[in-house]
Amino acid sequence: MFRYTYNTLVYSGEAIETGIERIAKAGYSGVELVGEPEQQDEAALRSALNQHRVAASSIVSIYTPERDIVSSSPEVRANAIKYVKGNIDYAARLGAEVVTFTPTACMKIVPEADIKQEWAWAVDAAGELAAYAGENGVRLALEPWNRYETYLINRTEQALQFLDEVDSPHIGYMVDTFHMSIEERDIAESIRKAGNRLAHVHLADTNRAAPGYGHLDFEPIIQAIVDAGYKGWISYELLPAAGDVWGVLSGAGAPEFKDEYTAAAIQHTRAIERRLGGL
Ligand code: LER
Ligand code: MN
């Protein structure tokens, strides 16, 4: 049986305790936290985690333009490294296993500097951050993003090349089926290629709604994750259907991502687990 967690990005506008209670009721054993430690009440968070017996599974880093690992500005690059280290500290304090890593600001879709130089900055930063993660008992997960959110690492083959160059056990490859449905030829095949380098999983359907609300066939994907021997968390990172990934969350909100999708997402994958023989 997988360990399931739900990304609280879509719970914006409510107290963290409310989200954790909802997640626990729906049968999850983990909660995926937004990488904004300074905006979160850690005492309230810890108490809700204890009360509902839910683990902090993972931290999703938020790469704003001020946190761009490959910015042409040395100050911004340094700030991005400091930011990810802060998320690693946060993960270590809460016992979360994984921090997500992508070496560009989200929705920056053209390079500022020479792309070979950007790649080299990214490899250096990932090496430094992976070492820091290892010292703190945390692992980084390199998440390729689709072409509308980044230009540097969009596909599995690029991510695996990057990981070869970083060459650290403290950073692995991350699946996000929404991005992969845009960029990969065969999602299951790409997961098989990543094999034991798999470090974290984001499931979402083709429209970023809960699995089952779009047109992705999750069965071969789940089978490939199992065949990879993956023992980490399965997270649902579901987001509203909008080009501006973050803007819509601070607007009117998206109520279906709360009770309806939280319950539907885990039920959908558990049904696949049962069909595949109670993995
Ligand atoms: C973050 O996990 C992600 O998948 C990005 O699309 C967020 O912009
Ligand atoms: Mn993701």
Side-chain angles (χ1 to χ4, degrees):
M1 268 253 294
F2 287 131
R3 293 183 295 155
Y4 291 102
T5 180
Y6 194 87
N7 187 318
T8 48
L9 260 171
V10 277
Y11 291 175
S12 60
E14 67 178 20
I16 191 77
E17 303 88 286
T18 311
I20 290 174
E21 186 180 355
R22 178 185 300 118
I23 282 171
K25 269 198 191 139
Y28 293 81
S29 51
V31 58
E32 183 159 273
L33 298 165
V34 180
E36 296 290 2
E38 277 149 33
Q39 293 173 20
Q40 288 162 9
D41 178 346
E42 214 167 304
L45 172 60
R46 277 176 196 283
S47 131
L49 292 172
N50 288 335
Q51 187 188 340
H52 297 289
R53 296 172 191 276
V54 167
S57 59
S58 37
I59 312 290
V60 172
S61 306
I62 307 295
Y63 293 98
T64 61
E66 301 75 40
R67 299 166 177 166
D68 180 353
I69 295 278
V70 296
S71 167
S72 53
S73 150
E75 290 79 27
V76 171
R77 294 201 300 276
N79 187 56
I81 289 175
K82 187 168 156 237
Y83 165 70
V84 180
K85 285 185 176 170
N87 281 349
I88 293 168
D89 294 339
Y90 190 43
R93 286 199 300 281
L94 294 168
E97 294 165 29
V98 177
V99 171
T100 68
F101 175 80
T102 300
T104 52
C106 185
M107 299 177 75
K108 174 186 168 196
I109 55 167
V110 283
E112 280 170 33
D114 174 69
I115 194 133
K116 287 204 178 91
Q117 174 64 78
E118 290 198 3
W119 180 276
W121 280 330
V123 169
D124 282 355
E128 178 180 341
L129 290 167
Y132 189 78
E135 285 160 23
N136 285 282
V138 174
R139 197 162 183 221
L140 290 183
L142 171 66
E143 183 178 39
W145 288 344
N146 74 73
R147 66 191 70 182
Y148 307 108
E149 293 184 39
T150 189
Y151 52 88
L152 197 60
I153 301 177
N154 301 120
R155 294 183 305 282
T156 304
E157 68 198 60
Q158 297 167 311
L160 297 180
Q161 169 71 35
F162 186 86
L163 292 175
D164 282 345
E165 292 184 32
V166 178
D167 194 22
S168 163
H170 307 299
I171 180 168
Y173 165 82
M174 176 166 164
V175 163
D176 183 320
T177 55
F178 169 71
H179 298 298
M180 295 178 88
S181 74
I182 297 171
E183 302 298 348
E184 303 292 328
R185 183 169 184 191
D186 179 331
I187 298 178
E189 189 51 34
S190 297
I191 292 171
R192 286 179 203 287
K193 282 193 184 130
N196 63 7
R197 291 197 268 182
L198 199 47
H200 196 47
V201 173
H202 275 169
L203 298 186
D205 216 318
T206 43
N207 47 4
R208 240 175 180 173
Y213 285 73
H215 53 86
L216 200 55
D217 179 4
F218 282 89
E219 211 163 288
I221 295 171
I222 299 299
Q223 185 68 63
I225 293 170
V226 170
D227 293 345
Y230 179 66
K231 299 281 180 282
W233 290 93
I234 298 285
S235 175
Y236 299 93
E237 184 188 56
L238 313 177
L239 286 168
D244 178 356
V245 180
W246 314 120
V248 70
L249 294 173
S250 54
E256 68 275 26
F257 289 80
K258 295 185 173 164
D259 291 347
E260 182 184 345
Y261 286 0
T262 305
I266 189 169
Q267 282 168 18
H268 182 272
T269 315
R270 281 195 167 151
I272 294 177
E273 281 193 279
R274 284 194 295 277
R275 282 204 297 282
L276 295 179
L279 300 164

